[in-house]
Amino acid sequence: MPSEPLTRPLTVGFDLDMTLIDSRPGIHAAYRALSAETGVHIDADLAVTRLGPPLEQELAHWFPEDRIQEIGDRYREIYPTHAIAPTLAMPGAREAVASVQALGGRAIVVTAKHEPNAELHLEHLGIRPDAVIGRLWAEAKAVALREHGARVYVGDHTGDVRGARTAGALSVAVPTGPCREGELREAGADVVLPDLTAFPAWVAAYAEERA
C-alpha cells in the first residue's frame, strides 16, 4: 500500500464497466443483436452478470475458437448502435472523476473495453477523464497505470485489484459489479467503498494525508 507523500499531481485510474458506468443494458442489447445476426444463441442475461474480463473470454462460451476474432470485431462494430444509449452512469461517477480534477490531479480510465467505444460512453454520459486507455485487463492494466503515474486505481473486479497491485498503486474497490466485498478484500483491495458516492470524501482525505 503506497504511503509516501505526494511529490507530483495525484493521478487516479478508474475502471469503466460497473465502476463508472452501468453498461449491462447496453451490452445486453448488443449481445441480442449479435445473436440475431449470427444465428448463434447467446444468453445475454448470463453474459451481463460476468462483466469485466475481455470480450473474447465471453465469446468463447458461445462461438468456436476459430471464429472469436471475427465475431469480436463484428461485436465492436455494432456496439455503438446498440449499447451507448441504454447505458447509464453509476451513482457518483461524474463526481468521482471531477473530485480528482478539483484537487489538481488527473483522472484516467483504464479498461478492457475497445477504446473508441469506451470514449463514446464517456462522452455520451458527460464523464470527462483526462485520458482513456482501452483493451487492457487485470495485470496488463499496470502498463497504463505506470505510464501515467497513477497512485490509485478504482475498480469493481478482482482483476482490477490485481492490476492496481501489479502497478504498485493503491487498490480502491467498489462492490458494484460481479465481485462482492469479501472477494475484493481477499484479492488484496486496500480500500473498499460501498460505491463511488463515497469516493470524493475518501480521495480528499487521502490527498490531505499525503500533502
Side-chain angles (χ1 to χ4, degrees), residues 25-45 59 63 71 74-83 86:
I27 290 175
H28 191 279
Y31 276 131
R32 284 176 60 86
L34 184 69
S35 179
E37 181 177 306
T38 60
V40 174
H41 171 70
I42 300 172
D43 187 338
D45 292 337
L59 293 179
F63 294 90
I71 296 297
R74 182 57 183 155
Y75 173 91
R76 295 182 181 102
E77 287 175 359
I78 67 173
Y79 187 94
T81 300
H82 300 280

Side-chain angles (χ1 to χ4, degrees), residues 81-106:
T81 300
H82 300 280
I84 302 302
T87 292
L88 305 172
M90 295 293 281
R94 297 180 187 88
E95 295 82 358
V97 169
S99 69
V100 176
Q101 295 162 335
L103 292 168
R106 298 177 71 249

